Amino acid sequence: MNQNKKFIFISGLHRSGTSLLYKILKKQKNISGLSNTNELEDEGQHVQTVFEPAFNFGGVGKFGFDINARLDERSKLINDKNKIKLFNEWKRYWDLEKEYLLEKSPPNIIRTRFLQSMFPNSYFINITRHPIATSLATKKWSKTSLNSLVNHWITCHKIFEKDSKEIKNIINIKYEDLINNTDEVLKSISIFINLEIKNTTEEIRTGINDKYFSKWRKLSKSIFSKIQIQKITEKYNKEVMHFNYNLKDF
């Protein structure tokens, strides 16, 4: 494995803006993202055989609940053979002439410590999005309740927060900041990885969360779901506020 390379891992739940950030970063002059994998969003989890993808643990909105989905530096998968194997499986889709090699997969949010052990010279960028927008955006895929989806959001971010204390190079950004203050966020990433980052081609659409907030408000007034929304808010809002979001005021 090339010891001179620097690795960038993007994490964040499905529909949290990981794809937008990935597209911006992989178009930078000295960054190579996985390309032409024939897999959804070119996610690295789908083009390797060292560890199991999120799908094997329930998939969207569920994987974080399975203790076996979480990986850290204690994993039995960490050995020299697997380090070489994982790099070799991914390198087929990277341009190895570039200094930075980029990979993104949602379950990275609960696997940062594992990935750091596999690739010590790594930088981790996590992106969070309001739990209301994230939950409503993924509900049609997960086919689970809003209660479970909000709980999953909290569960994964708690794991990430705890694990981040063991990560050497890590930064957390908000999806809302990325779309509303794009230049400022990209500047912070530039400083973080010591490489100039600019968005020149990706369309940044603002106000995307609004339709989900509107739907949440309608649900909170509906005779069929009002009680459900109230229970979710009462049960989880304190934990959500810990991550600087709010289920009441948005």
Side-chain angles (χ1 to χ4, degrees):
M1 185 166 63
N2 196 323
Q3 299 298 323
N4 297 322
K5 298 300 180 184
K6 299 176 182 177
F7 301 89
I8 303 172
F9 292 100
I10 295 176
S11 64
L13 294 180
H14 295 87
R15 301 301 300 274
S16 291
T18 57
S19 294
L20 173 60
L21 181 61
Y22 186 60
K23 290 175 182 177
I24 292 174
L25 293 186
K26 73 185 296 186
K27 290 181 179 179
Q28 305 304 309
K29 184 177 181 180
N30 209 20
I31 296 178
S32 175
L34 299 173
S35 300
N36 302 314
T37 65
N38 292 319
E39 294 290 346
L40 183 65
E41 302 294 348
D42 285 323
E43 292 178 0
Q45 64 170 327
H46 300 306
V47 289
Q48 55 77 42
T49 58
V50 173
F51 57 86
E52 296 183 67
F55 179 80
N56 289 2
F57 302 102
V60 180
K62 300 175 185 177
F63 68 84
F65 291 138
D66 193 327
I67 191 171
N68 295 307
R70 183 180 181 184
L71 296 173
D72 58 26
E73 69 280 352
R74 298 169 294 182
S75 172
K76 294 180 180 179
L77 297 175
I78 299 175
N79 54 60
D80 291 340
K81 180 180 178 180
N82 277 342
K83 289 179 181 180
I84 295 172
K85 182 179 182 181
L86 184 56
F87 177 76
N88 286 339
E89 290 180 329
W90 279 345
K91 78 175 184 180
R92 293 177 292 173
Y93 308 102
W94 277 326
D95 177 357
L96 297 181
E97 295 298 316
K98 302 293 182 70
E99 180 183 3
Y100 292 83
L101 303 179
L102 174 69
E103 190 276 333
K104 84 97 174 174
S105 297
N108 289 350
I109 192 172
I110 59 172
R111 296 172 175 173
T112 53
R113 289 160 61 182
F114 169 80
L115 291 168
Q116 179 175 253
S117 293
M118 296 291 276
F119 301 94
N121 195 21
S122 296
Y123 296 82
F124 294 85
I125 305 173
N126 188 69
I127 183 167
T128 63
R129 185 182 185 184
H130 199 294
I132 288 177
T134 304
S135 298
L136 288 173
T138 56
K139 194 175 189 304
K140 66 179 180 179
W141 295 348
S142 67
K143 294 180 172 57
T144 54
S145 68
L146 283 176
N147 180 85
S148 180
L149 287 166
V150 173
N151 187 21
H152 184 260
W153 188 98
I154 293 169
T155 297
C156 289
H157 286 86
K158 279 185 173 180
I159 293 173
F160 171 79
E161 181 180 56
K162 181 178 180 181
D163 288 353
S164 65
K165 298 175 183 177
E166 306 298 326
I167 303 302
K168 182 180 178 181
N169 301 308
I170 194 164
I171 188 174
N172 186 70
I173 65 173
K174 284 188 174 184
Y175 167 79
E176 293 80 11
D177 292 335
L178 178 61
I179 61 174
N180 292 318
N181 301 292
T182 306
D183 291 343
E184 184 177 325
V185 170
L186 295 184
K187 182 178 180 180
S188 69
I189 295 176
S190 298
I191 296 172
F192 174 61
I193 64 174
N194 193 30
L195 182 72
E196 184 178 20
I197 304 295
K198 291 185 177 181
N199 178 42
T200 56
T201 60
E202 291 303 316
E203 178 185 4
I204 304 296
R205 295 184 296 159
T206 60
I208 297 179
N209 280 357
D210 293 344
K211 67 178 181 180
Y212 297 112
F213 294 155
S214 177
K215 184 175 182 178
W216 183 270
R217 285 190 289 267
K218 289 180 180 178
L219 289 173
S220 68
K221 296 177 182 178
S222 168
I223 59 174
F224 301 105
S225 55
K226 181 178 180 179
I227 294 178
Q228 177 194 23
I229 297 300
Q230 288 178 341
K231 287 183 177 179
I232 292 173
T233 302
E234 292 173 1
K235 185 175 183 180
Y236 297 120
N237 199 46
K238 184 176 180 180
E239 292 181 289
V240 167
M241 289 178 68
H242 173 75
F243 297 100
N244 297 313
Y245 288 104
N246 198 317
L247 298 178
K248 295 181 178 180
D249 301 317
F250 46 83

